Amino acid sequence: MEQQSTALARISSVETAAERTAGTTGKGLAVLAPAAAAALNLLADAVRRGGADHDDIVQALKAAGVHEAFASVFDTASERVMESAADPYDFGERLHADNLAGAAGDVRRAFKWL
């Protein structure tokens, strides 16, 4: 019978920020998104395996301000869209910025109800 690991994660290698972003000139901060997704997937895997209580993880995420950090990404993107818009009254640009700002609000509201 195969035995399941109770470890939350196994570290197989360590990369520096310079190594991870080498050759990504022009991609900016978007290279950080996979790291953020991987960290959240580790928490989901811990809940799935039963190694962590889902309520404890949700409370830890709230205490750490993950929702504010995530919403801040959308808020900042919305601001950048409007700053880079040639015409601040362009419907397409405003709609894009408003959608990003709305996504930030949705993230905050989702955590409010947890």
Side-chain angles (χ1 to χ4, degrees), residues 45-107:
D45 191 51
V47 171
R48 208 175 290 115
R49 291 176 183 232
D53 182 64
H54 65 281
D55 286 329
D56 290 343
I57 287 180
V58 169
Q59 293 308 314
L61 290 172
K62 287 174 77 172
V66 170
H67 59 297
E68 279 302 320
F70 192 40
S72 176
V73 171
F74 290 123
D75 280 335
T76 305
S78 174
E79 292 169 10
R80 290 292 305 254
V81 166
M82 290 310 298
E83 288 171 3
S84 66
D87 178 9
Y89 297 103
D90 179 87
F91 179 75
E93 296 292 332
R94 288 193 69 82
L95 180 62
H96 184 55
D98 287 346
N99 285 340
L100 288 166
D106 288 346
V107 168

